[in-house]
Amino acid sequence: MNLTCPSLQIEDTQKVFRYNGNFQLESGEQLSGFQLAYTVYGKFDLEQNNIVWINHALTGDAHVHEWWSGVVGEDKFFDPGKYQIICTNLLGSCYGSTNPLSEDPNTGKPFYYDFPHITTRDMANALELLRQELKIEKINTLVGGSLGGQVALEWAHTLGSKLDHSIIIAANAKATPWIIGFNEAQRMAIQADCTWGEDFPDAGKSGLKAARAIGMLTYRHPDTFQQTQSDSEEKLDNFKVSSYLQYQGNKLSDRFNALSYWVLTKAMDSHDLGRGRGGTEKAIKEIHAKVLAIGIGSDQLFRKEESQYISQYAQQGVYAEITSAYGHDAFLIEYDQLQYILKSFYLINNEQ
Ligand code: COA
């Protein structure tokens, strides 16, 4: 498929990596094989050490030039004319990778509720198997925001000297009770759907709609809603923001799956870079790559202090901040600031 981007023809061919071995999970369970959907943009250049690997956030997919168009594309910071850009649909997500709707090879039926608990470390280990399959010896830059940042941090730890730069945006080294609490509230909304527990792909769809509405409140900031969702006329009901949350809830539940959402939020909850490694401080210090941790001043979900913590303990850590009224979602919106921060990071490393 060829998708036309502004003044650039990006060949958008989603590929599939199949791993046929037994994949050991942190929970002690195993997956009897798995698959990952991924895309590759741009040409590999050994001389330039030009591979950039980008992880998507909670409900994203492998088509990074679509959901991060202000950063990936011709004349953008990650230009496929300069870098080879790889983006993989994370394990557990319903956009082409193995997820609860996939067939369980042991039963011949979809996993549904029997899909095992997966962690951000499992997701990183799955990416590592793809890296080995692609025979990539060096990754110049690994980038991720939110859940994608948590997975990137995990993978940065295991990649060691195979990775030069790690860019962790609006993420953390360990899930906080605050984040787990919001995820639990969202899963309670899914559980309250009377179809939840039944074996069909759309089970929990209405619950997912409510979960997304809760999620949107955590991705934004009161100032954003004040600016964009205030009602100009006096009224008693049918407020603008209500219609906004209904709209966003429908939009997500039409494109995403409740079982997959459940699995991915559970992975976020159990995220802990320091698990089995003597704590987060020690684990961050063990990361070999240069680390740029980007926080968002108004982020109410992943607080900027959590990004500062990562930069503080990284051997070669830098912190930068996005100033925005948009809260957590700013990394998907504030492209000018992001590009400025990225340029500055490579400039101080004399690499642009
Ligand atoms: N009633 C109904 N619909 C409304 C509305 C209202 N009061 N106000 C805005 N909308 C609709 C707009 O028509 C528009 O629709 P469209 O997407 O079909 O074009 C949409 O809402 C715009 O949403 P908004 O949030 O205002 O856009 P934005 O530019 O500020 O943000 C995104 C863009 C992609 C970041 C945002 O829409 C989004 O999806 N956020 C969630 C991303 C996410 O998953 N973040 C978590 C990462 S872990």
Side-chain angles (χ1 to χ4, degrees):
M1 177 173 44
N2 278 323
L3 296 181
T4 309
C5 290
S7 72
L8 173 70
Q9 196 82 352
I10 288 188
E11 198 188 333
D12 186 286
T13 43
Q14 182 162 288
K15 303 175 194 344
V16 176
F17 162 57
R18 288 191 178 81
Y19 179 73
N20 295 320
N22 281 333
F23 184 59
Q24 185 64 48
L25 300 167
E26 266 201 280
S27 65
E29 293 177 88
Q30 285 189 344
L31 274 175
S32 307
F34 67 82
Q35 72 173 44
L36 294 178
Y38 68 100
T39 55
V40 180
Y41 310 115
K43 282 208 172 66
F44 175 58
D45 185 337
L46 181 64
E47 296 287 301
Q48 296 295 317
N49 172 21
N50 72 337
I51 291 190
V52 172
W53 199 304
I54 303 178
N55 289 345
H56 62 73
L58 184 63
T59 61
D61 60 23
H63 304 290
V64 61
H65 69 285
E66 291 174 7
W67 57 260
W68 225 22
S69 58
V71 180
V72 175
E74 192 182 22
D75 296 331
K76 298 293 179 333
F77 189 80
F78 293 124
D79 185 335
K82 190 172 167 195
Y83 294 105
Q84 184 172 60
I85 300 155
I86 304 177
C87 184
T88 308
N89 185 223
L90 294 172
L91 185 66
S93 172
C94 53
Y95 286 124
S97 295
T98 297
N99 71 85
L101 297 187
S102 306
E103 184 183 296
D104 177 353
N106 297 315
T107 63
K109 294 179 183 156
F111 288 97
Y112 290 125
Y113 308 87
D114 292 330
F115 195 78
H117 184 108
I118 56 170
T119 65
T120 52
R121 197 171 298 175
D122 296 328
M123 291 165 162
N125 289 341
L127 295 177
E128 173 61 16
L129 288 169
L130 172 57
R131 178 193 71 77
Q132 290 170 16
E133 169 76 13
L134 297 175
K135 298 186 170 41
I136 294 171
E137 289 307 320
K138 191 86 174 167
I139 297 177
N140 181 300
T141 303
L142 172 61
V143 196
S146 200
L147 170 65
Q150 295 177 317
V151 176
L153 200 61
E154 274 289 348
W155 197 21
H157 186 274
T158 51
L159 275 168
S161 59
K162 292 190 176 69
L163 176 67
D164 287 340
H165 310 94
S166 175
I167 302 176
I168 311 296
I169 311 170
N172 56 15
K174 182 177 179 180
T176 59
W178 185 247
I179 288 175
I180 299 169
F182 273 118
N183 285 341
E184 187 64 26
Q186 292 180 60
R187 287 189 298 266
M188 285 164 72
I190 292 174
Q191 272 175 318
D193 183 325
C194 62
T195 64
W196 183 249
E198 292 178 22
D199 284 356
F200 67 100
D202 269 350
K205 184 173 175 174
S206 299
L208 179 60
K209 176 180 165 179
R212 179 61 161 186
I214 297 168
M216 286 304 298
L217 295 173
T218 71
Y219 305 150
R220 294 297 165 113
H221 186 273
D223 290 347
T224 339
F225 277 20
Q226 197 63 38
Q227 284 166 21
T228 63
Q229 299 299 332
S230 292
D231 291 279
S232 46
E233 70 273 40
E234 293 178 353
K235 53 164 70 167
L236 297 180
D237 200 356
N238 300 319
F239 297 101
K240 197 173 167 185
V241 68
S242 307
S243 125
Y244 175 71
L245 292 178
Q246 292 282 349
Y247 177 81
Q248 293 290 347
N250 278 326
K251 197 172 167 186
L252 184 85
S253 63
D254 283 346
R255 74 172 175 85
F256 211 74
N257 176 261
L259 286 129
S260 196
Y261 199 83
W262 185 282
V263 164
L264 296 177
T265 55
K266 284 278 185 186
M268 276 179 97
D269 289 3
S270 58
H271 172 65
D272 180 2
L273 183 75
R275 183 168 49 242
R277 296 172 174 147
T280 49
E281 196 179 310
K282 183 166 174 288
I284 294 170
K285 282 180 184 160
E286 288 165 356
I287 293 175
H288 183 275
K290 296 181 178 110
V291 176
L292 167 63
I294 305 178
I296 298 161
S298 57
D299 194 334
Q300 310 216 90
L301 188 58
F302 289 80
R303 290 166 311 133
K304 63 177 185 177
E305 289 79 7
E306 296 170 63
S307 297
Q308 286 165 343
Y309 179 87
I310 295 170
S311 65
Q312 183 185 345
Y313 290 109
Q315 285 176 45
Q316 304 177 79
V318 175
Y319 174 75
E321 193 166 312
I322 296 174
T323 304
S324 172
Y326 281 98
H328 187 61
D329 264 354
F331 77 96
L332 297 167
I333 296 168
E334 302 285 4
Y335 291 135
D336 288 345
Q337 285 189 62
L338 254 178
Q339 297 219 111
Y340 177 80
I341 290 170
L342 293 171
K343 268 185 201 141
S344 310
F345 175 62
Y346 286 85
L347 271 177
I348 55 169
N349 289 308
N350 295 317
E351 290 169 18
Q352 262 283 302

